[in-house]
C-alpha cells in the first residue's frame, strides 16, 4: 500500500493560487521553475541555509540543477495532493526568483500549519525583503483557510520551537 499523508487542506476547500503585487508575484512552484529556482538557491545559499532549522541540510553545497528539478517535481506533487504547498516568489518582468514560501503540516499542538520562507540575495539587494515578508504574513492570515500557523525560526526561536509539544 502506498504511503498516504492526510491533506493539509481538504479537497472541498479552495486554496489561494497566487498573489500579485507591483514588485513580485507569489504563485505555485512548478518543475519548470527549476533553473530560476536553482540560481536563486545557489546565489543565496549562505543566506537561506537555516530556513528549516539550524541543523537542516538544505540546501547542500553540492546541489545540482537535476537534483533541484527533482525537488521541485516533488513540491509540485505535494501541492496537487494538497499535502503541503510551495510557492515561488518571483519578478515576472525578469523571471528572477526572489524566494520561496512553504506552507506545511505540523505536529505541534494548537497549530494547523508551519510557514517557512526564504528570500534571495537579489530580493535583499532590491530591498524587497520587508515587503515580501509583510505580503506573505498578510496573505496567509487573510486568505488561507488556516486558523493558527507558526513561523518557526521567525516568531518562535528554533530552540523554543524544538521544545514544543507534538500532538
Amino acid at each position: 500500500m502506498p504511503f498516504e499523508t492526510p491533506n493539509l487542506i481538504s479537497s472541498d476547500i479552495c486554496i489561494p493560487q497566487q498573489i500579485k503585487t507591483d514588485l513580485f508575484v507569489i504563485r505555485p512552484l512548478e518543475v519548470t521553475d527549476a533553473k530560476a529556482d536553482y540560481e536563486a538557491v545557489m546565489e543565496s545559499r549562505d543566506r537561506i541555509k537555516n530556513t528549516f532549522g539550524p541543523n537542516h541540510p538544505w540546501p547542500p553545497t553540492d546541489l545540482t540543477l537535476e537534483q533541484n528539478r527533482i525537488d521541485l517535481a516533488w513540491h509540485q506533487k505535494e501541492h496537487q495532493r494538497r499535502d503541503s504547498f510551495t510557492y515561488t516568489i518571483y519578478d515576472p518582468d525578469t523571471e528572477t526568483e526572489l524566494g520561496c514560501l512553504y506552507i506545511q503540516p505540523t505536529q505541534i499542538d494548537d497549530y494547523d500549519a508551519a510557514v517557512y520562507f526564504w528570500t534571495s540575495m537579489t530580493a535583499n539587494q532590491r530591498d524587497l525583503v520587508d515587503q515580501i515578508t509583510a505580503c506573505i504574513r498578510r496573505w496567509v492570515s487573510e486568505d488561507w483557510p488556516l486558523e493558527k500557523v507558526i513561523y518557526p525560526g521567525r516568531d518562535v526561536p528554533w530552540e523554543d520551537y524544538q521544545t514544543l509539544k507534538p500532538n
Side-chain angles (χ1 to χ4, degrees), residues 19-136:
I19 188 164
K20 292 182 180 181
T21 74
D22 292 339
L23 300 170
F24 54 87
V25 174
I26 303 175
R27 62 149 175 85
L29 185 69
E30 299 174 347
V31 71
T32 55
D33 297 313
K35 186 175 185 302
D37 182 75
Y38 178 76
E39 289 170 359
V41 167
M42 295 313 285
E43 82 165 6
S44 309
R45 188 181 176 286
D46 288 339
R47 177 181 170 75
I48 66 177
K49 66 183 175 185
N50 295 322
T51 297
F52 299 104
N55 297 314
H56 196 281
W58 184 86
T61 55
D62 60 350
L63 180 68
T64 65
L65 177 57
E66 184 59 23
Q67 289 169 327
N68 194 62
R69 191 177 325 279
I70 292 166
D71 286 347
L72 269 58
W74 179 252
H75 287 310
Q76 187 174 341
K77 186 63 174 176
E78 288 174 323
H79 195 106
Q80 290 170 347
R81 292 170 43 115
R82 302 170 76 92
D83 297 336
S84 67
F85 302 91
T86 305
Y87 291 82
T88 180
I89 306 160
Y90 79 107
D91 175 345
D93 295 331
T94 64
E95 297 186 3
T96 302
E97 186 171 272
L98 302 171
C100 277
L101 163 66
Y102 310 82
I103 301 172
Q104 301 180 340
T106 182
Q107 294 182 355
I108 303 300
D109 274 348
D110 301 324
Y111 291 96
D112 300 321
V115 177
Y116 307 88
F117 64 92
W118 58 266
T119 53
S120 69
M121 287 299 295
T122 300
N124 188 51
Q125 292 162 353
R126 293 183 186 177
D127 203 25
L128 294 173
V129 174
D130 290 343
Q131 292 173 52
I132 290 169
T133 301
C135 181
I136 287 170

